[in-house]
């Protein structure tokens, strides 16, 4: 007998609603996350089956929450759209989104070094918009052509938070960091090859930036940068 | 001439039964392992052809032993089921199981941080059950939502051994380890990306846990944790 | 002939004051950094001779700026105190400080996992105070004894930004991140041994935290976290 | 002014005894750890000043607890002996011990591959004895001279738990694991050079042992193995 | 225009036969290698197109040399058989062989730890036979079941050179090395997962073996071990 | 709704032509690069969609510039040829080329260690020719057959710049560097396996060459070597 | 008996002068290196005893050659000055120099990111001057303060070759590379900590620079960059 | 109480002489190693106290065996000479030797790339002589000056086994391997810096040599190479 179903989880018998989560057996959906952390539960789709992602999404939806699923592949994206026909699946940014949070007061600039970094930059941008921020996109402004960056500088300076997305040697945050007085979050991407080591060089370069106060999230983690930026704009 | 057959091993001429193993040429099946190590031979299927796995399984079966094969892919799983129609192939946990060991006295809690870690957690759980233990599954109780873990705590404390399965930064064993007084085995999973480095970060994090006495097995090695836990429950 | 003097740099002949920096030959001291970046130039002392550090400090002082030097060893610290008798040299935090920035409106909680992480936590705390913030110190609240963390939780929740400092597996930001709704910056320390790999495991663990929106600075970079946190509190 | 004192922590004003820890400002000494985890608080001395170690030890002592401090260097060892004249400082095993836990029912075999691994083996042995276990020492039985190991085998088989300590390629647990039916904890040591990479090769070798159910602790972590082994013997 | 042909190499105009190689433009086939190195040129097929492999093989053949091609994939294997119908393509060992060297006086034992290591062991065995040696195959004698190894010991001791092939922690050469007085060459395989890191752990473990005088070749390099062993047996 | 289009970039409203780049929204095509850097903009195709590559190419073409696109896969190559029927797509070297720069005065020798390194060597050769250099190809002259290298030596010595392309241990630049008096640029390739670690060993070997003055570019970066060599020949 | 002398090498009996080297037993001093490679032999002092360095220097001197010794520590520097009283020992740059090569036609700009990178920058500058080049020093022009770099730009553009020296994330070559049309050699330094990994991050960042044609030498290898730059200026 | 003595091992009560080893408690001295392995026990001194090394040496001596101790530091060397006044302590090669094995029939060439590699080369040479071989030393013949190597070639070709010792990129074995028809063992040294990574680059380079049949021992392991070479010459 072949068991295709991954596991045989059972819903817990206790009144889980009292416990601020809904127990699906394979997942305990956190329903009071917004009260605790200011932003609602987000679904990390990697390693989950399409059915698991959709079931968690439905639970959130039943409890009146908007839905953001990250790292959604094509198959899961299709299942998501089928379950939530009004949702949008952004194939390149690997996001499935249903609903949105109320518009806040914050403005976030998303600076992107090269065209190849766009999927990650868009993950950050779309997530930041989902979380209620206004987003300025400044794309393909890598440091090998400084004039491109400088043409965007006044716009960047006016935002509350800056997200810089870059691959290769990851020099963009160092240069931008020396020109602005705003919190900046750097997102290394896995664009590059050889000595780039799938983005580890970019990551470590950003962590050892000669500009002070650059904070960094994981490789290709546009979502994480948008989340952190929103925790900042929520202070305004 | 193309030789598809991997090699031309020959069965050894000596009376191998006297030597406590059955010599298939490409494999020497260990028939007295249970006498030596308390638990019978288990088949590690990675790198073996379906035919090799089935041939070893048949040898064990002929000698009256139950069969557990780990890291079984789809193709080998099908061949196994064809050879042992009463066996079960767990596709997600990559296990093929035929028969079981006698029920023991031990209880093992399997704590799993996230839904994406389920295949490894189930590998541990199914193996632990195969080895005769009673298993409590506590799934999706990662430390980013502590209340989910605390809701399972009294149950966890009652078991004899705890297996914690987690990916990402692997914080679950540290938190659980500070709350219980039982042996705990941590299983890092390869869930994560970028700086996670296919689970190496999780593995190293668990090895440097701030909780004392956390022991660790290889990345994604649910089977190993179940085996080690059973060596403990066999002492009861 | 032995040349002990490291190099023979010459002061540039051009009117460097017009160029917003003072050229010492071996260094170009950035005098308009506060206008550009909101916070004045800080001296990174590693790899510089005591004389170089003091000369840069004097240039800043002559231009009416307060002085913060980081990663100051004993020898440089003594030279600093000799040159600026009213300054303070914090030997453990490796900081030399002269003057301070005007008090701002922000409050920063500095959460520290273990006593061994104190030097880095104090680097963050003293820098944050230098930059004009109010600091709450919550020390030795590692996740292996959750009750210690929970006793500080209400205080932590009231601050504007949270800095978490931890070594070993670096689980503290993951747990704190699941309990609060404020921006959090994680500082990995090099406390640990073996699989900790001089803090790389801690660093990578924090970068792959299961809590959303954790941003990270370099290993032992308490200063960087304080700087980034101040860029946030400057928005208030 | 030079501040030699690392930091200016203040004792918390709240009644910390109610909170099951004693707040020294720089440390929160966990006083109910034995109730929670079965074994009392242990002091990890690395990165702490001698005074900090002694102050924590005094707090434990005042509360009627025995004291075990690990990774104690010479300077701290002297300070410890001065404060607790009846204590023992084991210089090679880097342990300071005062008092002991009641004798339990468990027997632990400590197998050590080479003479160079002795400091780590003794750390494990002395800690295991401190925790109340009976210890069998089987030293210098590395796999390059199998007859030495086999001469100890019957003794090893009689113990409840086996700790194997080895450096270099770390083959000892694989060989022992194939001969016994007891839980085994492997401790990699940093003995070796070049491709050994400070014990990382040993560690990874043990984690990928061809023997099933080997669990592993951090490099040179004899204490951790003894702690984990005691969690097992406490079940008896 | 799409140029599918990899490059436009041209045959060199000089009389290359005088230069002891035949210049195909994309390759300079070494025709006097046997005179210099004792063994004829061998074709490393990885990264070469099937046509390139066959063209080099034909050049060798035209010059009266036998042919051994290593790391031959299916596609190249088929092209090889088509060009040399009497050749043999060993799919698992990834070898294409046409002809053989004269039988020498040496005997080589090939010891293999597990069934999953067979493809590499067979690469070594078939190459050793191609080079004129007599080969003893001792397969599946990993150290987790010592009795299997011991049953082959007298046979192993009688050979001139020993090749040990193992994956995982790579303990086999350490144990064998302590029991025999013959040159031994260890071949790490990439069998394993997680902390095995594609065989790097096995490789480094063998390099830091506690047995003296173990020499090592690259991961999965059965051919290299056979070549080195033949350089030894050629001395007899 | 599934959004296949990667992102929704908008062309910037400002007169970008004044700013020396053409803003496509997803890319800012640098039109004055030749004025600044001596060589026109080159398209790095990895991570870009075929449409993005073609759109950038068209913008360059409209501005009267020749086109070189690197790391072009089959799909993008086809789209390129469709858009520019007179262009050439070199499938193995992964280059799409339309037009060429005026012939210069420089001669570049491209030395290649093995046949498997040819795709990278050809990337270097074709780019060097595109940039207007005369190219001498010296292929398959690896150090294991020194006479092959020596047969090319006088030719190599006559060129202005030498590019050495090698995989495995990367010894070629060390040997060539000891025989010539010209600038040399080494290109490591990812040819090799196991301890080669996808070319990192080759790269690091070249960086630590015992020959003085070897400069190195990234793994498989034939284009970069040709670009750097051209910056040298432009000086003539 | 203790043998302090490292080894007992004997001078070779053959007429080594015919062989273009002078055989000191422990060293074969290359006397025709300038004929072959354009620049005379340079002494790499690391791992050599002071006596060995001086003996090699004397041999060069006897043969009428100037002397450059790199990576010279204090002890060797003193011995060198004692043997060659007119020589200069640059302690920070770790160079001992006696004599110089004839002045050439080339001009080299040495751009240095931070004051901490000065020792490496000076190694490059002094070697370049020794080799006969004119050197422009542009120090402390890191990208976090772009205006400092731009104030040097016209000067940099006028040189024939540019050497960029930087630690941390190594962004300087990327920015400079986008502004100039000259060959550029990047030297990573080991300035940084934590994720910088002793300069490996800087090195890999430079290798994956988004600017085309950056060539790189080993970490802290100022000499190598000067040597390579001189091979270029020798073409003029 | 401070216990300076590392541990309290007790001599085993059983008649260990029957067991072919002498049990010192902290060490089991293998007395029948020569019978089993052809060569007597060798003392690895790293991690052992001077007293432990001397005690083991005395046990060997009492049993009529010659003594070779490797990796002996100054302090242990002095203790050794004091205990065995006729012994020799080679400080640079870190060897203590007392007695020697009977002269055999084998000749070993030790090829060394640079003067800095001499300590390791001498470790190999002295051990090879201790084991009864005739040794040819060919020092400072690195590949950057091929003529130096070629001047030794005929001598090298006449030996039975070749040991090549090199640091940096480790190219020597590749070049030698292409010129000779004898077994060759390569010893990487830790000479180099930066990207050399303490010899790991050299090690991995030798393992991926383009010459067939190069076998490799651990970094700086001259002893291991001599031991392995002797296992070969013992066949003659």
């Amino acid at each position: 007998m072949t068991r295709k179903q991954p596991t045989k989880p059972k819903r817990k018998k206790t009144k889980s609603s009292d416990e601020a989560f809904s127990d699906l057996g394979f997942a305990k959906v956190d329903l009071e996350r917004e009260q605790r952390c200011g932003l609602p539960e987000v679904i990390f789709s990697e390693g989950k089956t399409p059915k698991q992602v959709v079931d968690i999404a439905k639970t959130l939806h039943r409890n009146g929450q908007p839905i953001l699923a990250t790292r959604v592949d094509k198959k899961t994206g299709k299942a998501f759209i089928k379950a939530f026909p009004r949702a949008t699946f952004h194939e390149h940014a690997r996001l499935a989104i249903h609903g949105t949070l109320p518009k806040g007061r914050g403005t976030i600039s998303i600076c992107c070094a090269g065209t190849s970094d766009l999927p990650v930059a868009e993950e950050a941008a779309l997530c930041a918009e989902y979380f209620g921020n206004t987003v300025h996109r400044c794309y393909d402004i890598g440091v090998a052509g400084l004039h491109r960056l400088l043409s965007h500088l006044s716009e960047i300076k006016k935002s509350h938070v800056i997200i810089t997305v870059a691959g290769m040697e990851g020099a963009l945050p160092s240069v931008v960091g020396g020109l602005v007085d705003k919190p900046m979050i750097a997102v290394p991407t896995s664009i590059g090859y050889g000595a780039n080591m799938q983005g580890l060089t970019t990551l470590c370069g950003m962590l050892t930036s000669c500009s002070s106060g650059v904070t960094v999230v994981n490789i290709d983690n546009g979502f994480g940068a948008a989340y952190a930026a929103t925790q900042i704009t929520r202070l305004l």
Side-chain angles (χ1 to χ4, degrees), chain A:
Chain A
M1 178 184 67
T2 298
R3 291 216 176 147
K4 278 215 163 179
Q5 277 308 90
T7 54
K8 41 174 185 178
K10 285 159 209 158
R11 296 190 172 226
K12 237 188 127 209
K13 294 285 138 45
T14 60
K15 307 174 214 165
S16 57
S17 66
D18 290 4
E19 289 159 343
F21 59 81
S22 173
D23 194 339
L24 307 181
F26 64 86
K28 295 184 174 48
V29 185
D30 194 341
L31 299 174
E32 296 190 351
R33 204 175 154 74
E34 192 164 3
Q35 285 88 317
R36 281 199 334 275
C37 301
L39 295 171
E41 179 78 301
V42 173
I43 308 171
F44 175 75
S45 306
E46 208 163 281
K48 296 193 178 70
T49 62
K51 190 176 178 319
Q52 288 173 335
V53 171
V54 167
D55 283 358
I56 297 173
K58 283 180 177 166
T59 306
L60 289 170
H61 188 57
R62 257 196 309 274
N63 285 273
Q65 304 204 0
I67 307 162
L68 171 63
T70 65
R71 300 183 84 82
V72 177
D73 61 20
K74 252 187 175 173
K75 206 172 151 191
T76 299
K78 277 185 189 171
F80 195 96
I81 293 297
K82 202 174 159 193
F84 300 90
R86 289 203 227 162
T88 311
F89 168 48
H90 301 269
E91 193 176 322
H92 262 67
R94 292 186 295 171
L95 298 172
I97 297 179
H98 185 256
T100 184
L101 291 181
K103 196 78 185 172
R105 273 172 299 168
T107 302
I108 299 174
S109 278
I110 314 238
C111 302
C112 173
T115 302
S116 306
D117 303 312
L118 274 185
V120 178
E122 275 299 301
E123 187 188 90
L126 293 164
C127 288
E129 288 172 342
Y130 168 81
F131 288 135
N133 300 282
T134 302
V135 170
H136 285 308
R137 286 166 171 85
C138 312
Y139 286 176
D140 200 21
I141 57 168
V143 301
L146 271 186
H147 55 305
R148 301 178 303 181
L149 160 58
L150 298 175
S151 79
H152 277 285
L153 193 55
S154 63
E155 183 182 13
I156 294 170
K157 278 180 161 171
K158 274 181 235 146
S159 57
H160 297 105
V161 187
I162 301 158
I163 293 174
T164 47
V165 180
M168 311 249 175
E169 85 284 46
L172 188 59
S174 297
V175 174
V176 173
L179 296 170
V180 302
D181 65 342
K182 293 290 164 34
M184 184 171 64
I185 299 159
V187 190
T189 73
S190 52
I191 291 301
Y193 59 92
N196 183 268
M197 289 182 275
Q198 289 82 51
L200 283 175
T201 289
T202 321
L203 170 67
C204 289
M206 289 174 169
L207 284 163
T208 60
S209 172
C210 59
S211 277
S212 301
V214 176
T215 60
V216 184
V217 296
N218 198 5
I219 299 163
D220 292 334
N221 189 6
F223 156 71
Y227 190 103
T230 306
Q231 292 289 35
I232 297 173
T233 57
R234 288 182 65 252
L235 291 176
L236 299 173

